[in-house]
Amino acid sequence: MTPQDFTTKEINTWCPGCPNFGILNSIKEALAELVNEGKISVKDTSLVAGIGCHGKIFDYVNLNGFNGLHGRVLPVCLGIKLGNPDLTVVGFGGDGDTFDEGVSHFVHACRYNADMTMMVHTNQVFALTTGQATALTEKGFVDGSTPLGQGEKPINSLLMALDLGATFVARGYALQGPHLKELMKKAITHKGFAFLDILQPCIVYHKHSVPYLTKNVYKLEETHDAGNFSQALERVREWDYSYEKDTKVPIGVFYQTERATFESQWPQLKQPWHTIDRKTNWDNIIREFK
Amino acid sequence: MQKTILIGGEAGLGTAVTSHFVGKIFTSLGYYVFNYRDYPSLIRGGHNFNILKISDKPVYSHEYKYDFILALDQKTVDIHKKDLKQSGLVFKAKETEPKILANNILIGLLFKYFGVDLNILFAAAEKTFGKNADLVKKSIQEGYQLDSEKEKLKKLKPKCFISGTEAIGIGAIAAGMDIYLAYPMTPASPVLHFLAKRQLENNILVFQPENEIAVINAALGASFAGAKAMVGTSGGGFALMTEGLSLAAMTELPLVIYLGQRPAPATGLATHTGQGDLKFALNAGHGEFLRVVLSPGDAQEAVIRTQEAFYLSNKYRIPVILLSDKHLAESNYTFDEIAKSSLPIDRFIVENPQEDYRPYALTPNGISPRAVPGQGNFVVRANSYEHNEYGYTIEDSAGAVKMQDKRFKKLPYLKKEIDKLNPISVYGKGSNLLISHGSTKGAILDALPQIKNFRFMQISYLKPFPAEKVAKEIKKSMPTGRQAKKVVLVENSVTGSLADVIKEETGITIKNKILKYDGRPFTPDDIINQL
Ligand SMILES: Cc1ncc(C[n+]2csc(CCOP(=O)(O)OP(=O)(O)O)c2C)c(N)n1
Ligand code: SF4
């Protein structure tokens, strides 16, 4: 299997040079390698996408997929796991999608710990609707809907994920493809809910993040202990998604742990439901009403 | 034989459990029982009551005239004594008795009155209360000794006692449902509890996600993955689900939505009944799309209609809304037997799709063969954007028209199928006509023998609407020449929205309406008096 096998014939409508292309390349490489390593099977893998520029990735990856509603990637992912626990499920959301419209689902996804992956294309704007501020946009940002400047501090999504019990918390940078690919592979093979924040500067509506991130992004050192929760907390706090002053922006796996998955609480959730041939034992069903 | 019993007490005293237990004993003795439940939205205190109408002939409704009042507290006597028949009796629990056992003492008293053998009561207690039956039995016996037999109840052929909620639950199980998702909301939550309790023995999965938006999106994810899914809610939750309803239509993923109505806008009368969401069910969701809206009239019909809901949803790949209300959901009905539909349990998933599988393949009847991920070496895609046959996003005008047409192509086939499923039922004889849908059926059926020259048309399929059948039936009762005939709509709502639906679908105007919107269901008297 090669990354090209995941290519579709659809015309790509992202802006030329958009870092989303980097994410697309990395996911195709990650999927191809995971298939070749026997870690996933193509037919048993499904992606789920939200609505926004990020969501177009649905059309560009030749794989089972569900392009749902804005903000609802996570419940669809969860539903797919409930519908067929054997499927590998990978969600792609925008930061607006995940932390504005659908933030309640993110809160619960971290708690549930279903065995699935959520990748968020963090560009700190609603790009597809022409650049309004999201919950991750820095204070002071000016756009069409907030001409007086964004008034609030952004959410630190990694901190939130850690606090809510996500069992895999990582951040990648769309412009560092090989590193991102490795993170994707780790996230997808993690057993439990994996949250991968991907910095994906929008080069139209959030231009200033490209030079900033290129200057400040660095990889967590080998010595970082991803099993240490308080170390992880400390490291995700290093950058608060703002641009006021130069602050180092760590990327890599901040935290990884094991916890019983959501699916494991259901003894009856063992095989894809569609493989079960159901018969009705009517007399049994109505006995209690006699 | 016909008796009406009111059982009342503050919340927490066991009014509902006691009423069900009493009803169950009467049905096991072969009597028909209708059990109506009335309670406010609180957990302790207040005033709850049930009305049991018991008869040796089928009975589908309650009335507010009692032969017996079983009062678990003084308030029950104070409130309801005015409705006691002249020869009626009040059995009141003594304040000194432990509250939980007081109910059973009254049960002992009641059945002694009817000369029912103590062993029958004991057997029923064991069946219902299992390990805790001993205490119950003791207090039943205590009550039994307090009075003497006044009437001897004949034993008839035992009957089945079932609520609308239970009927929907077993209908779903019989239809081969795999997954039920719901966020609690009265009056739909009892289905959640019923199915959750029985999930392991029936090998189904029941889960309560974080909100109704998650519920419907997760259900569609499950449906995409190949599970037969159902969600349940009431008006407020359904409002949150409407974007997902539209998604179900666009992705052509089967989904059954149970909508238990309660009255009034917003939070409304949370624990009461109404039919005000008919038009909402018919029109909810953005964009134009096909749906089925079904409205069963009693528990037996609820079993069958639930099975039909799954069948049609999976066969046509469309959302199906199963409309109910608090009255249907929380009342117990009695039937000689409980029947199921003869429709097959079919997943309508193709066995061996070809390599070039197209999830939205254009076909003569608009139904694309459905495959699910993992089945084979092909890609299955569901897309909320307009899409081509493969599920890739499109924006071109010709493609858009093709797909909009494709989804609507199913309509004539669906209509034909529904024609065979008794979309309307006509009861009784007479040149005048009563029309309704849903839970009003019970009171109308019980009123019918007491009103002269009326028949009753119950409409069970509200979308696609059986317009021809309905129009034909109404026309038989349209005033002709000097003959004044009446067509009257009966609805638990402020506006009588079914009349608007009939007007839109058939062009016929219905002027006479009997409406009730105090949150309480109709009794036969409500209808008789207004006619
Ligand atoms: C319910 C709903 N509200 C609003 C929209 C309009 N909308 C489309 S994309 C989008 C924002 C996308 O922002 P984000 O999720 O951050 O993705 P990006 O475009 O930045 O990748 C919005 C608000 C919608 N499709 N659905
Ligand atoms: S608007 Fe921004 S995020 Fe969207 S495609 Fe263009 S550069 Fe990428």
Side-chain angles (χ1 to χ4, degrees):
Chain A
M1 200 100 211
T2 68
Q4 282 65 49
D5 293 327
F6 290 101
T7 302
T8 67
K9 293 194 233 89
E10 303 310 295
I11 296 165
N12 195 311
T13 58
W14 282 324
C15 304
C18 173
N20 273 322
F21 284 100
I23 298 178
L24 178 61
N25 284 339
S26 295
I27 190 67
K28 290 199 287 196
E29 283 172 17
L31 289 171
E33 288 181 21
L34 288 171
V35 171
N36 295 339
E37 291 161 16
K39 304 239 170 72
I40 62 168
S41 101
V42 176
K43 76 176 181 54
D44 292 313
T45 303
S46 179
L47 61 84
V48 179
I51 301 296
C53 290
H54 68 274
K56 295 183 176 193
I57 202 164
F58 170 83
D59 280 331
Y60 310 144
V61 182
N62 180 23
L63 198 65
N64 296 314
F66 191 130
N67 197 5
L69 299 171
H70 179 56
R72 314 301 169 197
V73 173
L74 285 165
V76 171
C77 291
L78 188 78
I80 294 176
K81 290 302 288 187
L82 291 180
N84 180 351
D86 296 346
L87 295 180
T88 301
V89 181
V90 185
F92 296 87
D95 52 313
D97 200 71
T98 313
F99 296 108
D100 285 273
E101 192 77 286
V103 67
S104 60
H105 310 306
F106 187 81
V107 170
H108 295 276
C110 295
R111 287 174 58 225
Y112 297 154
N113 197 37
D115 185 14
M116 61 195 209
T117 302
M118 180 66 182
M119 309 200 182
V120 177
H121 302 218
T122 298
N123 55 16
Q124 299 181 272
V125 280
F126 289 136
L128 192 58
T129 49
T130 68
Q132 300 86 351
T134 72
L136 263 71
T137 305
E138 73 276 15
K139 196 168 179 219
F141 180 77
V142 171
D143 69 82
S145 73
T146 46
L148 306 181
Q150 173 70 7
E152 299 80 29
K153 269 180 58 179
I155 288 176
N156 181 334
S157 57
L158 296 171
L159 189 58
M160 184 163 148
L162 281 177
D163 192 40
L164 292 165
T167 51
F168 180 99
V169 177
R171 179 195 279 145
Y173 186 24
L175 298 181
Q176 294 202 9
H179 180 250
L180 178 61
K181 176 202 74 186
E182 291 305 324
L183 291 176
M184 286 173 162
K185 287 175 69 180
K186 283 182 188 153
I188 293 170
T189 49
H190 170 73
K191 191 121 188 88
F193 180 63
F195 169 48
L196 176 57
D197 177 35
I198 305 173
L199 303 174
Q200 175 258 309
C202 169
I203 56 173
V204 176
Y205 298 112
H206 206 270
K207 289 193 183 91
H208 53 285
S209 50
V210 182
Y212 183 93
L213 293 175
T214 303
K215 181 168 170 209
N216 292 310
V217 158
Y218 76 100
K219 291 182 192 130
L220 283 173
E221 39 310 297
E222 303 265 295
T223 52
H224 171 70
D225 178 6
N228 185 327
F229 188 72
S230 28
Q231 240 186 61
L233 278 178
E234 221 170 275
R235 301 311 290 266
V236 303
R237 283 196 179 109
E238 279 180 26
W239 184 52
D240 63 0
Y241 293 83
S242 74
Y243 293 85
E244 275 161 37
K245 54 178 196 305
D246 273 331
T247 308
K248 287 285 168 206
V249 180
I251 57 173
V253 179
F254 292 88
Y255 186 63
Q256 183 166 20
T257 187
E258 256 180 62
R259 197 171 78 228
T261 63
F262 177 77
E263 301 88 297
S264 66
Q265 68 180 293
W266 317 99
Q268 68 272 46
L269 186 55
K270 290 223 172 65
Q271 69 187 96
W273 295 102
H274 70 86
T275 59
I276 297 174
D277 188 17
R278 289 193 182 272
K279 304 252 179 327
T280 310
N281 187 342
W282 188 242
D283 289 338
N284 226 7
I285 292 174
I286 61 169
R287 187 175 306 140
E288 63 180 296
F289 307 108
K290 292 206 165 171
Chain B
M1 196 291 271
Q2 193 167 97
K3 301 277 181 209
T4 304
I5 305 173
L6 178 131
I7 303 179
E10 66 175 44
L13 289 185
T15 301
V17 175
T18 304
S19 308
H20 191 269
F21 185 62
V22 169
K24 192 95 181 166
I25 293 172
F26 276 111
T27 56
S28 73
L29 291 166
Y31 290 82
Y32 294 93
V33 177
F34 181 80
N35 182 15
Y36 165 66
R37 185 169 177 221
D38 192 305
Y39 63 103
S41 186
L42 51 76
I43 306 301
R44 291 284 180 266
H47 176 65
N48 293 2
F49 65 93
N50 278 58
I51 299 170
L52 292 150
K53 194 163 167 185
I54 296 145
S55 173
D56 51 5
K57 292 183 204 65
V59 57
Y60 306 105
S61 63
H62 65 292
E63 61 182 1
Y64 295 103
K65 283 175 284 198
Y66 316 121
D67 297 287
F68 299 93
I69 291 177
L70 267 57
L72 305 180
D73 59 5
Q74 181 59 38
K75 205 180 204 173
T76 302
V77 182
D78 297 343
I79 296 174
H80 299 285
K81 187 129 190 232
K82 64 175 180 18
D83 298 319
L84 191 67
K85 291 182 190 170
Q86 250 181 1
S87 56
L89 294 174
V90 176
F91 295 154
K92 188 180 164 296
K94 287 202 204 81
E95 305 293 343
T96 49
E97 283 153 0
K99 290 195 165 163
I100 301 298
L101 298 178
N103 312 6
N104 304 313
I105 293 174
L106 299 187
I107 290 169
L109 264 168
L110 178 73
F111 285 104
K112 179 65 168 285
Y113 180 97
F114 288 109
V116 173
D117 194 84
L118 194 56
N119 288 321
I120 292 178
L121 307 182
F122 282 3
E126 276 158 23
K127 203 169 156 191
T128 307
F129 300 106
K131 278 183 278 158
N132 305 324
D134 278 353
L135 266 182
V136 174
K137 277 158 64 179
K138 224 178 111 201
S139 39
I140 288 178
Q141 186 165 19
E142 204 183 315
Y144 204 79
Q145 285 158 352
L146 290 177
D147 209 343
S148 59
E149 178 183 324
K150 303 280 165 34
E151 276 179 43
K152 185 75 191 169
L153 214 55
K154 258 196 310 192
K155 185 153 180 352
L156 309 168
K157 194 172 169 287
K159 308 277 185 290
C160 300
F161 196 42
I162 184 169
S163 71
T165 289
E166 292 162 339
I168 286 159
I170 65 171
I173 292 168
M177 179 190 70
D178 301 308
I179 293 185
Y180 186 77
L181 301 178
Y183 185 84
M185 189 166 188
T186 307
S189 329
V191 171
L192 171 65
H193 300 162
F194 178 86
L195 291 170
K197 193 169 169 190
R198 290 155 185 79
Q199 60 183 318
L200 291 180
E201 64 185 273
N202 289 294
N203 193 29
I204 58 174
L205 190 150
V206 180
F207 176 57
Q208 175 196 310
E210 60 269 22
N211 55 40
E212 288 87 349
I213 296 173
V215 165
I216 193 162
N217 282 281
L220 290 172
S223 185
F224 172 71
K228 265 195 189 178
M230 177 171 175
V231 301
T233 187
S234 186
F238 183 60
L240 293 177
M241 287 186 186
T242 53
E243 193 189 16
L245 172 66
S246 173
L247 176 66
M250 189 54 151
T251 52
E252 298 186 60
L253 290 169
L255 181 67
V256 176
I257 301 169
Y258 168 51
L259 171 54
Q261 300 167 93
R262 55 202 229 180
T267 309
L269 290 141
T271 60
H272 295 278
T273 202
Q275 298 183 303
D277 292 342
L278 171 60
K279 283 196 197 167
F280 184 33
L282 293 173
N283 299 305
H286 56 290
E288 298 156 287
F289 57 87
L290 282 193
R291 81 190 72 196
V292 171
V293 179
L294 269 165
S295 176
D298 60 36
Q300 168 61 78
E301 205 193 335
V303 174
I304 308 260
R305 299 302 185 192
T306 306
Q307 289 177 271
E308 291 172 8
F310 276 95
Y311 178 82
L312 295 173
S313 175
N314 283 273
K315 181 167 179 184
Y316 290 89
R317 303 183 55 173
I318 52 172
V320 176
I321 298 166
L322 189 62
L323 204 57
S324 161
D325 56 29
K326 183 259 166 188
H327 189 52
L328 171 63
E330 301 210 46
S331 299
N332 296 92
Y333 297 77
T334 308
F335 303 99
D336 294 330
E337 289 293 335
I338 304 169
K340 68 175 178 65
S341 155
S342 56
L343 290 172
I345 298 186
D346 197 331
R347 293 186 179 275
F348 297 101
I349 292 174
V350 286
E351 294 278 333
N352 293 304
Q354 73 278 45
E355 286 274 312
D356 185 41
Y357 174 72
R358 287 159 294 155
Y360 299 107
L362 298 172
T363 60
N365 63 6
I367 305 171
S368 318
R370 175 166 167 238
V372 299
Q375 256 187 311
N377 290 321
F378 51 84
V379 160
V380 184
R381 304 168 70 81
N383 196 344
S384 88
Y385 276 110
E386 192 56 275
H387 41 259
N388 62 20
E389 290 182 89
Y390 292 92
Y392 287 106
T393 307
I394 59 161
E395 286 191 38
D396 68 293
S397 67
V401 170
K402 239 189 238 169
M403 279 301 167
Q404 296 257 40
D405 284 344
K406 168 219 186 300
R407 290 188 290 271
F408 272 99
K409 251 188 195 167
K410 302 170 189 173
L411 183 57
Y413 299 89
L414 179 63
K415 276 187 165 163
K416 233 193 207 154
E417 182 119 32
I418 286 173
D419 260 353
K420 290 182 280 183
L421 298 172
N422 306 317
I424 69 163
S425 313
V426 180
Y427 302 87
K429 287 201 179 70
S431 49
N432 302 304
L433 183 68
L434 290 174
I435 305 176
S436 90
H437 77 91
S439 72
T440 45
K441 175 183 180 181
I444 298 175
L445 284 185
D446 284 350
L448 215 51
Q450 304 172 60
I451 42 181
K452 259 209 265 156
N453 205 17
F454 266 94
R455 35 191 229 299
F456 162 44
M457 170 169 60
Q458 181 210 353
I459 306 177
S460 299
Y461 274 84
L462 295 156
K463 199 130 203 162
F465 196 75
E468 261 172 53
K469 285 187 156 72
V470 170
K472 205 170 131 198
E473 201 58 41
I474 296 176
K475 279 179 186 150
K476 285 188 208 161
S477 295
M478 298 266 261
T480 46
R482 269 175 303 151
Q483 231 193 327
K485 291 187 226 169
K486 256 197 200 160
V487 178
V488 183
L489 175 81
V490 180
E491 196 172 283
N492 243 177
S493 74
V494 185
T495 56
S497 43
L498 183 57
D500 298 345
V501 176
I502 291 171
K503 174 85 185 175
E504 186 182 325
E505 298 275 359
T506 67
I508 299 171
T509 307
I510 295 178
K511 292 199 207 83
N512 305 307
K513 298 175 188 173
I514 298 179
L515 305 171
K516 187 167 162 64
Y517 43 88
D518 57 355
R520 276 69 182 173
F522 284 100
T523 62
D525 279 352
D526 289 329
I527 296 159
I528 295 163
N529 295 341
Q530 290 225 38
L531 283 173

